[in-house]
């Protein structure tokens, strides 16, 4: 006599339900990872113009965009961005060598900084040489 073990049938509905659950959980995980890129990247500062180091005018304008920030400073003076993170600030150069330091902080306390050197030489000095 042979014994026949009957395999339980798995309904198509159960298989489709399991696949749907896996796909939905995968999409949710992908969305979370996609949104976490801002947290992972930290604060970022991008200066728009590649300004020359040597200037004959005392005032220059620094423009750029800051991403993932809560605070932004130019030489330890707080500056502000628009809704898209764009900033534009005037910087008065001292005689000789000046370093402009942009510093940004995110909501988790992480900081980044960008430093640019500038040299101001009045036009009257250039004419005498």
């Amino acid at each position: 006599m042979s014994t026949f073990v009957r395999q339980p049938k798995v309904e198509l509905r159960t298989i489709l339900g399991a696949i749907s659950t896996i796909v939905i959980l995968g999409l949710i995980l992908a969305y979370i990872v996609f949104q976490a890129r801002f947290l992972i990247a930290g604060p970022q500062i991008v200066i728009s113009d590649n300004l020359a180091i040597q200037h004959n005018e005392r005032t220059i304008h620094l423009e750029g965009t800051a991403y993932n920030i809560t605070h932004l400073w130019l030489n330890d003076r707080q500056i502000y961005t628009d809704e898209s993170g764009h900033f534009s600030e005037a910087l008065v150069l001292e005689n000789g060598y000046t370093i402009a330091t942009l510093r940004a902080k995110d909501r988790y306390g992480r900081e980044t900084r960008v430093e640019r050197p500038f040299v101001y030489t009045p036009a009257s000095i250039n004419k005498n040489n």
Side-chain angles (χ1 to χ4, degrees), residues 56-69:
N56 294 331
E57 295 188 21
R58 186 168 291 279
T59 304
I60 61 170
H61 287 278
L62 288 175
E63 293 186 24
T65 307
Y67 302 98
N68 311 326
I69 67 159

Side-chain angles (χ1 to χ4, degrees), residues 13-95:
R13 213 178 260 189
T14 306
I15 294 171
L16 290 177
I19 291 173
S20 297
T21 303
I22 291 170
V23 168
I24 290 171
L25 290 176
L27 289 173
I28 290 171
L29 181 63
Y31 178 75
I32 290 171
V33 170
F34 177 73
Q35 290 299 324
R37 74 188 188 282
F38 297 122
L39 302 175
I40 295 167
Q44 298 175 355
I45 303 171
V46 177
I47 297 178
S48 301
D49 297 329
N50 196 2
L51 296 171
I53 293 175
Q54 185 75 29
H55 292 275
N56 294 331
E57 295 188 21
R58 186 168 291 279
T59 304
I60 61 170
H61 287 278
L62 288 175
E63 293 186 24
T65 307
Y67 302 98
N68 311 326
I69 67 159
T70 56
H71 295 86
L72 181 64
W73 298 273
L74 173 60
N75 292 345
D76 293 327
R77 178 178 54 89
Q78 188 167 6
I79 62 174
Y80 300 95
T81 65
D82 62 13
E83 296 83 23
S84 61
H86 181 74
F87 63 88
S88 178
E89 283 293 317
L91 177 65
V92 178
L93 301 177
E94 299 294 329
N95 287 337

